[in-house]
Amino acid sequence: NAGVTQTPKFRILKIGQSMTLQCAQDMNHNYMYWYRQDPGMGLKLIYYSVGAGITDKGEVPNGYNVSRSTTEDFPLRLELAAPSQTSVYFCASSTGGNQPQHFGDGTRLSIL
Amino acid sequence: AQSVAQPEDQVNVAEGNPLTVKCTYSVSGNPYLFWYVQYPNRGLQFLLKYITGDNLVKGSYGFEAEFNKSQTSFHLKKPSALVSDSALYFCAVPPYSGGGADGLTFGKGTHLIIQP
């Protein structure tokens, strides 16, 4: 019963590098989300998707891209890493809007 | 846009005492309100939600929340605190009235510390 799986758990990047944060869920949820968590700031929505092939921007999308080719996977791409992107990133999924979201355990990313 | 506020950064409670974690909201229309808990180095876990109906909502791990429309509050409560309840608690609301597909807007979180 894996739920939402995020990889990697930790990563250190240099400024200007790129990487993809992976997120997979095995609950057949149509709705998926990417949040970032900064200390004392709560969580901010980066991107979300309501189904395969459909994505949309959240509150803080600049510097990120997403794709949703399957129901299960929702990767988040950082093209040119910047120190301001140092954060903990969480992926979540749900059966629909206003339904409980299931979260992965996060990816801790440092940009140096 | 809809929002929530958590006025306390930290709440300290002795084990066995009742606990309250405060949340106030600003919404238009009927509110959808959520509470989540986060343990160290883990993702958020859903505790409970309010959609409509009874003002007292029961959730996981013995937690409940009281919806108060006149005070625009949705405080999280538990009658008897456990040391294992120590965690970071978030109140959340969909950003726009009637919607939820576009994620949740979270409060800044409240650290709950239960002292033995």
Side-chain angles (χ1 to χ4, degrees), chain B residues 66-108:
Chain B
E66 185 175 11
F67 173 76
N68 188 314
K69 188 173 183 178
S70 63
Q71 297 185 4
T72 61
S73 67
F74 188 55
H75 299 335
L76 182 69
K77 299 183 177 184
K78 188 173 183 181
S80 179
L82 300 173
V83 172
S84 57
D85 292 330
S86 298
L88 183 57
Y89 290 80
F90 291 97
C91 184
V93 65
Y96 302 103
S97 175
D102 43 358
L104 292 171
T105 294
F106 289 85
K108 293 184 177 181

mmCIF file of all heavy atoms in Angstrom, chain B residues 66-108:
data_model
loop_
_atom_site.group_PDB
_atom_site.id
_atom_site.type_symbol
_atom_site.label_atom_id
_atom_site.label_comp_id
_atom_site.label_asym_id
_atom_site.label_seq_id
_atom_site.Cartn_x
_atom_site.Cartn_y
_atom_site.Cartn_z
ATOM 1 N N GLU B 66 -14.389 22.366 15.848
ATOM 2 C CA GLU B 66 -15.652 23.078 16.032
ATOM 3 C C GLU B 66 -15.762 24.220 15.035
ATOM 4 O O GLU B 66 -14.944 25.151 15.048
ATOM 5 C CB GLU B 66 -15.771 23.609 17.453
ATOM 6 C CG GLU B 66 -17.120 24.250 17.761
ATOM 7 C CD GLU B 66 -17.259 24.655 19.203
ATOM 8 O OE1 GLU B 66 -16.252 24.635 19.943
ATOM 9 O OE2 GLU B 66 -18.377 25.011 19.612
ATOM 10 N N PHE B 67 -16.752 24.138 14.173
ATOM 11 C CA PHE B 67 -17.011 25.190 13.196
ATOM 12 C C PHE B 67 -17.913 26.239 13.830
ATOM 13 O O PHE B 67 -18.981 25.906 14.365
ATOM 14 C CB PHE B 67 -17.689 24.594 11.965
ATOM 15 C CG PHE B 67 -18.141 25.624 10.959
ATOM 16 C CD1 PHE B 67 -17.217 26.242 10.134
ATOM 17 C CD2 PHE B 67 -19.481 25.953 10.834
ATOM 18 C CE1 PHE B 67 -17.627 27.184 9.208
ATOM 19 C CE2 PHE B 67 -19.900 26.895 9.908
ATOM 20 C CZ PHE B 67 -18.971 27.502 9.091
ATOM 21 N N ASN B 68 -17.491 27.510 13.777
ATOM 22 C CA ASN B 68 -18.280 28.590 14.340
ATOM 23 C C ASN B 68 -18.424 29.680 13.294
ATOM 24 O O ASN B 68 -17.470 30.418 12.996
ATOM 25 C CB ASN B 68 -17.606 29.142 15.603
ATOM 26 C CG ASN B 68 -18.470 30.143 16.341
ATOM 27 O OD1 ASN B 68 -19.054 31.034 15.731
ATOM 28 N ND2 ASN B 68 -18.564 30.003 17.654
ATOM 29 N N LYS B 69 -19.612 29.776 12.732
ATOM 30 C CA LYS B 69 -19.827 30.707 11.621
ATOM 31 C C LYS B 69 -19.755 32.161 12.080
ATOM 32 O O LYS B 69 -19.194 33.005 11.382
ATOM 33 C CB LYS B 69 -21.183 30.431 10.964
ATOM 34 C CG LYS B 69 -21.419 31.212 9.695
ATOM 35 C CD LYS B 69 -22.693 30.780 9.010
ATOM 36 C CE LYS B 69 -22.891 31.531 7.695
ATOM 37 N NZ LYS B 69 -24.124 31.079 6.983
ATOM 38 N N SER B 70 -20.295 32.460 13.246
ATOM 39 C CA SER B 70 -20.322 33.850 13.702
ATOM 40 C C SER B 70 -18.916 34.369 14.024
ATOM 41 O O SER B 70 -18.627 35.558 13.848
ATOM 42 C CB SER B 70 -21.217 33.981 14.931
ATOM 43 O OG SER B 70 -20.710 33.224 16.010
ATOM 44 N N GLN B 71 -18.035 33.480 14.479
ATOM 45 C CA GLN B 71 -16.661 33.877 14.789
ATOM 46 C C GLN B 71 -15.702 33.519 13.662
ATOM 47 O O GLN B 71 -14.495 33.747 13.802
ATOM 48 C CB GLN B 71 -16.206 33.222 16.102
ATOM 49 C CG GLN B 71 -17.018 33.658 17.315
ATOM 50 C CD GLN B 71 -16.482 33.087 18.610
ATOM 51 O OE1 GLN B 71 -15.459 32.419 18.639
ATOM 52 N NE2 GLN B 71 -17.193 33.343 19.700
ATOM 53 N N THR B 72 -16.203 32.989 12.580
ATOM 54 C CA THR B 72 -15.397 32.523 11.426
ATOM 55 C C THR B 72 -14.177 31.730 11.906
ATOM 56 O O THR B 72 -13.036 31.994 11.505
ATOM 57 C CB THR B 72 -14.953 33.678 10.503
ATOM 58 O OG1 THR B 72 -14.122 34.598 11.241
ATOM 59 C CG2 THR B 72 -16.148 34.405 9.938
ATOM 60 N N SER B 73 -14.458 30.768 12.772
ATOM 61 C CA SER B 73 -13.367 29.962 13.324
ATOM 62 C C SER B 73 -13.613 28.478 13.083
ATOM 63 O O SER B 73 -14.760 28.030 12.913
ATOM 64 C CB SER B 73 -13.198 30.229 14.816
ATOM 65 O OG SER B 73 -14.326 29.768 15.538
ATOM 66 N N PHE B 74 -12.519 27.746 13.111
ATOM 67 C CA PHE B 74 -12.566 26.277 12.924
ATOM 68 C C PHE B 74 -11.441 25.699 13.772
ATOM 69 O O PHE B 74 -10.438 25.194 13.275
ATOM 70 C CB PHE B 74 -12.409 25.939 11.441
ATOM 71 C CG PHE B 74 -12.630 24.484 11.109
ATOM 72 C CD1 PHE B 74 -13.800 23.834 11.459
ATOM 73 C CD2 PHE B 74 -11.663 23.764 10.417
ATOM 74 C CE1 PHE B 74 -14.014 22.505 11.137
ATOM 75 C CE2 PHE B 74 -11.863 22.428 10.085
ATOM 76 C CZ PHE B 74 -13.038 21.798 10.447
ATOM 77 N N HIS B 75 -11.605 25.755 15.059
ATOM 78 C CA HIS B 75 -10.553 25.340 15.999
ATOM 79 C C HIS B 75 -10.484 23.829 16.140
ATOM 80 O O HIS B 75 -11.519 23.158 16.254
ATOM 81 C CB HIS B 75 -10.785 25.961 17.366
ATOM 82 C CG HIS B 75 -10.776 27.463 17.376
ATOM 83 N ND1 HIS B 75 -10.108 28.216 16.432
ATOM 84 C CD2 HIS B 75 -11.363 28.342 18.219
ATOM 85 C CE1 HIS B 75 -10.273 29.500 16.694
ATOM 86 N NE2 HIS B 75 -11.031 29.602 17.765
ATOM 87 N N LEU B 76 -9.268 23.327 16.203
ATOM 88 C CA LEU B 76 -9.012 21.894 16.388
ATOM 89 C C LEU B 76 -8.918 21.612 17.886
ATOM 90 O O LEU B 76 -8.234 22.346 18.609
ATOM 91 C CB LEU B 76 -7.708 21.504 15.689
ATOM 92 C CG LEU B 76 -7.310 20.043 15.737
ATOM 93 C CD1 LEU B 76 -8.267 19.196 14.885
ATOM 94 C CD2 LEU B 76 -5.872 19.880 15.250
ATOM 95 N N LYS B 77 -9.536 20.516 18.318
ATOM 96 C CA LYS B 77 -9.575 20.225 19.754
ATOM 97 C C LYS B 77 -9.356 18.735 20.004
ATOM 98 O O LYS B 77 -9.602 17.889 19.135
ATOM 99 C CB LYS B 77 -10.923 20.654 20.345
ATOM 100 C CG LYS B 77 -11.196 22.134 20.205
ATOM 101 C CD LYS B 77 -12.498 22.524 20.864
ATOM 102 C CE LYS B 77 -12.704 24.042 20.763
ATOM 103 N NZ LYS B 77 -13.906 24.500 21.473
ATOM 104 N N LYS B 78 -8.911 18.458 21.237
ATOM 105 C CA LYS B 78 -8.823 17.087 21.715
ATOM 106 C C LYS B 78 -8.995 17.122 23.223
ATOM 107 O O LYS B 78 -8.379 17.945 23.897
ATOM 108 C CB LYS B 78 -7.473 16.459 21.333
ATOM 109 C CG LYS B 78 -7.397 14.969 21.622
ATOM 110 C CD LYS B 78 -6.116 14.365 21.082
ATOM 111 C CE LYS B 78 -6.102 12.860 21.318
ATOM 112 N NZ LYS B 78 -4.857 12.224 20.820
ATOM 113 N N PRO B 79 -9.818 16.246 23.781
ATOM 114 C CA PRO B 79 -10.119 16.314 25.213
ATOM 115 C C PRO B 79 -8.927 16.019 26.123
ATOM 116 O O PRO B 79 -8.821 16.603 27.195
ATOM 117 C CB PRO B 79 -11.218 15.258 25.391
ATOM 118 C CG PRO B 79 -11.773 15.036 24.032
ATOM 119 C CD PRO B 79 -10.644 15.260 23.080
ATOM 120 N N SER B 80 -8.040 15.133 25.677
ATOM 121 C CA SER B 80 -6.925 14.731 26.529
ATOM 122 C C SER B 80 -5.692 14.527 25.657
ATOM 123 O O SER B 80 -5.636 13.594 24.857
ATOM 124 C CB SER B 80 -7.263 13.440 27.281
ATOM 125 O OG SER B 80 -6.182 13.018 28.092
ATOM 126 N N ALA B 81 -4.701 15.399 25.809
ATOM 127 C CA ALA B 81 -3.529 15.380 24.932
ATOM 128 C C ALA B 81 -2.569 14.238 25.268
ATOM 129 O O ALA B 81 -2.388 13.874 26.445
ATOM 130 C CB ALA B 81 -2.799 16.713 25.036
ATOM 131 N N LEU B 82 -1.945 13.717 24.217
ATOM 132 C CA LEU B 82 -0.895 12.697 24.352
ATOM 133 C C LEU B 82 0.427 13.287 23.868
ATOM 134 O O LEU B 82 0.445 14.139 22.968
ATOM 135 C CB LEU B 82 -1.236 11.476 23.500
ATOM 136 C CG LEU B 82 -2.537 10.744 23.813
ATOM 137 C CD1 LEU B 82 -2.798 9.677 22.753
ATOM 138 C CD2 LEU B 82 -2.488 10.130 25.203
ATOM 139 N N VAL B 83 1.520 12.799 24.428
ATOM 140 C CA VAL B 83 2.841 13.248 23.980
ATOM 141 C C VAL B 83 2.991 13.014 22.472
ATOM 142 O O VAL B 83 3.581 13.824 21.750
ATOM 143 C CB VAL B 83 3.954 12.548 24.765
ATOM 144 C CG1 VAL B 83 5.321 12.873 24.170
ATOM 145 C CG2 VAL B 83 3.915 12.961 26.237
ATOM 146 N N SER B 84 2.411 11.920 21.992
ATOM 147 C CA SER B 84 2.510 11.588 20.570
ATOM 148 C C SER B 84 1.718 12.546 19.670
ATOM 149 O O SER B 84 1.848 12.482 18.447
ATOM 150 C CB SER B 84 2.028 10.155 20.337
ATOM 151 O OG SER B 84 0.705 9.998 20.807
ATOM 152 N N ASP B 85 0.918 13.433 20.246
ATOM 153 C CA ASP B 85 0.213 14.444 19.460
ATOM 154 C C ASP B 85 1.131 15.600 19.069
ATOM 155 O O ASP B 85 0.745 16.458 18.260
ATOM 156 C CB ASP B 85 -0.981 15.010 20.245
ATOM 157 C CG ASP B 85 -2.079 13.994 20.460
ATOM 158 O OD1 ASP B 85 -2.251 13.097 19.606
ATOM 159 O OD2 ASP B 85 -2.781 14.088 21.495
ATOM 160 N N SER B 86 2.308 15.651 19.632
ATOM 161 C CA SER B 86 3.263 16.711 19.311
ATOM 162 C C SER B 86 3.603 16.664 17.832
ATOM 163 O O SER B 86 4.088 15.639 17.325
ATOM 164 C CB SER B 86 4.529 16.558 20.149
ATOM 165 O OG SER B 86 4.256 16.685 21.530
ATOM 166 N N ALA B 87 3.334 17.746 17.130
ATOM 167 C CA ALA B 87 3.509 17.787 15.671
ATOM 168 C C ALA B 87 3.197 19.200 15.197
ATOM 169 O O ALA B 87 2.900 20.089 15.984
ATOM 170 C CB ALA B 87 2.595 16.769 14.983
ATOM 171 N N LEU B 88 3.234 19.363 13.868
ATOM 172 C CA LEU B 88 2.891 20.637 13.227
ATOM 173 C C LEU B 88 1.507 20.478 12.600
ATOM 174 O O LEU B 88 1.276 19.534 11.838
ATOM 175 C CB LEU B 88 3.938 20.963 12.163
ATOM 176 C CG LEU B 88 3.825 22.276 11.399
ATOM 177 C CD1 LEU B 88 3.824 23.465 12.332
ATOM 178 C CD2 LEU B 88 4.980 22.390 10.396
ATOM 179 N N TYR B 89 0.612 21.395 12.919
ATOM 180 C CA TYR B 89 -0.777 21.297 12.482
ATOM 181 C C TYR B 89 -1.114 22.443 11.530
ATOM 182 O O TYR B 89 -0.782 23.597 11.782
ATOM 183 C CB TYR B 89 -1.722 21.324 13.694
ATOM 184 C CG TYR B 89 -1.625 20.063 14.513
ATOM 185 C CD1 TYR B 89 -0.584 19.883 15.416
ATOM 186 C CD2 TYR B 89 -2.550 19.037 14.349
ATOM 187 C CE1 TYR B 89 -0.469 18.711 16.148
ATOM 188 C CE2 TYR B 89 -2.448 17.866 15.080
ATOM 189 C CZ TYR B 89 -1.398 17.712 15.964
ATOM 190 O OH TYR B 89 -1.282 16.536 16.680
ATOM 191 N N PHE B 90 -1.811 22.075 10.440
ATOM 192 C CA PHE B 90 -2.185 23.049 9.427
ATOM 193 C C PHE B 90 -3.687 23.053 9.219
ATOM 194 O O PHE B 90 -4.320 22.004 9.059
ATOM 195 C CB PHE B 90 -1.535 22.705 8.077
ATOM 196 C CG PHE B 90 -0.057 22.882 8.027
ATOM 197 C CD1 PHE B 90 0.787 21.803 8.211
ATOM 198 C CD2 PHE B 90 0.493 24.135 7.779
ATOM 199 C CE1 PHE B 90 2.165 21.966 8.156
ATOM 200 C CE2 PHE B 90 1.860 24.310 7.720
ATOM 201 C CZ PHE B 90 2.704 23.219 7.912
ATOM 202 N N CYS B 91 -4.227 24.263 9.151
ATOM 203 C CA CYS B 91 -5.591 24.490 8.719
ATOM 204 C C CYS B 91 -5.537 24.854 7.232
ATOM 205 O O CYS B 91 -4.551 25.462 6.770
ATOM 206 C CB CYS B 91 -6.176 25.639 9.538
ATOM 207 S SG CYS B 91 -7.899 26.009 9.247
ATOM 208 N N ALA B 92 -6.561 24.462 6.451
ATOM 209 C CA ALA B 92 -6.504 24.708 5.010
ATOM 210 C C ALA B 92 -7.901 24.921 4.443
ATOM 211 O O ALA B 92 -8.896 24.431 4.991
ATOM 212 C CB ALA B 92 -5.815 23.546 4.291
ATOM 213 N N VAL B 93 -7.941 25.611 3.290
ATOM 214 C CA VAL B 93 -9.198 25.915 2.619
ATOM 215 C C VAL B 93 -8.936 25.954 1.119
ATOM 216 O O VAL B 93 -7.839 26.321 0.688
ATOM 217 C CB VAL B 93 -9.735 27.276 3.118
ATOM 218 C CG1 VAL B 93 -8.816 28.426 2.721
ATOM 219 C CG2 VAL B 93 -11.139 27.545 2.612
ATOM 220 N N PRO B 94 -9.889 25.566 0.276
ATOM 221 C CA PRO B 94 -9.697 25.762 -1.162
ATOM 222 C C PRO B 94 -9.540 27.249 -1.461
ATOM 223 O O PRO B 94 -10.199 28.074 -0.822
ATOM 224 C CB PRO B 94 -10.985 25.209 -1.772
ATOM 225 C CG PRO B 94 -11.490 24.249 -0.756
ATOM 226 C CD PRO B 94 -11.127 24.843 0.577
ATOM 227 N N PRO B 95 -8.711 27.624 -2.428
ATOM 228 C CA PRO B 95 -8.442 29.046 -2.660
ATOM 229 C C PRO B 95 -9.631 29.831 -3.190
ATOM 230 O O PRO B 95 -9.687 31.042 -2.996
ATOM 231 C CB PRO B 95 -7.286 29.039 -3.654
ATOM 232 C CG PRO B 95 -7.353 27.707 -4.305
ATOM 233 C CD PRO B 95 -7.893 26.769 -3.272
ATOM 234 N N TYR B 96 -10.560 29.140 -3.841
ATOM 235 C CA TYR B 96 -11.696 29.843 -4.417
ATOM 236 C C TYR B 96 -12.992 29.162 -4.018
ATOM 237 O O TYR B 96 -13.054 27.951 -3.901
ATOM 238 C CB TYR B 96 -11.568 29.920 -5.937
ATOM 239 C CG TYR B 96 -10.299 30.602 -6.369
ATOM 240 C CD1 TYR B 96 -9.227 29.864 -6.837
ATOM 241 C CD2 TYR B 96 -10.162 31.979 -6.250
ATOM 242 C CE1 TYR B 96 -8.052 30.486 -7.204
ATOM 243 C CE2 TYR B 96 -8.986 32.606 -6.611
ATOM 244 C CZ TYR B 96 -7.933 31.856 -7.086
ATOM 245 O OH TYR B 96 -6.765 32.473 -7.435
ATOM 246 N N SER B 97 -13.999 29.941 -3.862
ATOM 247 C CA SER B 97 -15.293 29.437 -3.432
ATOM 248 C C SER B 97 -15.816 28.385 -4.398
ATOM 249 O O SER B 97 -15.764 28.566 -5.603
ATOM 250 C CB SER B 97 -16.293 30.596 -3.349
ATOM 251 O OG SER B 97 -17.585 30.125 -3.040
ATOM 252 N N GLY B 98 -16.294 27.279 -3.833
ATOM 253 C CA GLY B 98 -16.903 26.233 -4.652
ATOM 254 C C GLY B 98 -15.913 25.354 -5.361
ATOM 255 O O GLY B 98 -16.284 24.393 -6.003
ATOM 256 N N GLY B 99 -14.636 25.656 -5.227
ATOM 257 C CA GLY B 99 -13.636 24.874 -5.941
ATOM 258 C C GLY B 99 -12.696 24.158 -5.005
ATOM 259 O O GLY B 99 -12.615 24.466 -3.837
ATOM 260 N N GLY B 100 -12.000 23.219 -5.515
ATOM 261 C CA GLY B 100 -11.018 22.488 -4.715
ATOM 262 C C GLY B 100 -10.038 21.801 -5.621
ATOM 263 O O GLY B 100 -9.042 21.286 -5.194
ATOM 264 N N ALA B 101 -10.361 21.813 -6.909
ATOM 265 C CA ALA B 101 -9.470 21.173 -7.863
ATOM 266 C C ALA B 101 -8.116 21.844 -7.874
ATOM 267 O O ALA B 101 -7.103 21.194 -8.086
ATOM 268 C CB ALA B 101 -10.083 21.210 -9.266
ATOM 269 N N ASP B 102 -8.104 23.149 -7.634
ATOM 270 C CA ASP B 102 -6.844 23.882 -7.684
ATOM 271 C C ASP B 102 -6.173 23.932 -6.324
ATOM 272 O O ASP B 102 -5.720 24.969 -5.861
ATOM 273 C CB ASP B 102 -7.049 25.286 -8.250
ATOM 274 C CG ASP B 102 -8.286 25.975 -7.702
ATOM 275 O OD1 ASP B 102 -9.007 25.358 -6.904
ATOM 276 O OD2 ASP B 102 -8.520 27.130 -8.081
ATOM 277 N N GLY B 103 -6.107 22.794 -5.669
ATOM 278 C CA GLY B 103 -5.308 22.659 -4.470
ATOM 279 C C GLY B 103 -5.939 23.292 -3.248
ATOM 280 O O GLY B 103 -7.132 23.558 -3.207
ATOM 281 N N LEU B 104 -5.125 23.493 -2.233
ATOM 282 C CA LEU B 104 -5.543 24.081 -0.974
ATOM 283 C C LEU B 104 -4.643 25.252 -0.627
ATOM 284 O O LEU B 104 -3.466 25.281 -0.983
ATOM 285 C CB LEU B 104 -5.472 23.057 0.155
ATOM 286 C CG LEU B 104 -6.467 21.897 0.108
ATOM 287 C CD1 LEU B 104 -6.123 20.857 1.155
ATOM 288 C CD2 LEU B 104 -7.880 22.402 0.304
ATOM 289 N N THR B 105 -5.220 26.216 0.089
ATOM 290 C CA THR B 105 -4.443 27.301 0.691
ATOM 291 C C THR B 105 -4.273 26.968 2.154
ATOM 292 O O THR B 105 -5.264 26.767 2.868
ATOM 293 C CB THR B 105 -5.174 28.641 0.521
ATOM 294 O OG1 THR B 105 -5.216 28.979 -0.867
ATOM 295 C CG2 THR B 105 -4.443 29.738 1.270
ATOM 296 N N PHE B 106 -3.037 26.896 2.601
ATOM 297 C CA PHE B 106 -2.735 26.483 3.972
ATOM 298 C C PHE B 106 -2.415 27.674 4.855
ATOM 299 O O PHE B 106 -1.862 28.679 4.406
ATOM 300 C CB PHE B 106 -1.534 25.536 3.984
ATOM 301 C CG PHE B 106 -1.817 24.176 3.422
ATOM 302 C CD1 PHE B 106 -1.731 23.940 2.061
ATOM 303 C CD2 PHE B 106 -2.178 23.128 4.253
ATOM 304 C CE1 PHE B 106 -1.997 22.679 1.538
ATOM 305 C CE2 PHE B 106 -2.441 21.870 3.745
ATOM 306 C CZ PHE B 106 -2.361 21.644 2.381
ATOM 307 N N GLY B 107 -2.735 27.537 6.142
ATOM 308 C CA GLY B 107 -2.207 28.446 7.133
ATOM 309 C C GLY B 107 -0.713 28.194 7.320
ATOM 310 O O GLY B 107 -0.155 27.262 6.745
ATOM 311 N N LYS B 108 -0.094 29.028 8.145
ATOM 312 C CA LYS B 108 1.352 28.913 8.327
ATOM 313 C C LYS B 108 1.740 27.770 9.254
ATOM 314 O O LYS B 108 2.915 27.440 9.360
ATOM 315 C CB LYS B 108 1.920 30.226 8.843
ATOM 316 C CG LYS B 108 1.816 31.348 7.829
ATOM 317 C CD LYS B 108 2.474 32.624 8.332
ATOM 318 C CE LYS B 108 2.409 33.704 7.244
ATOM 319 N NZ LYS B 108 3.071 34.967 7.689
#
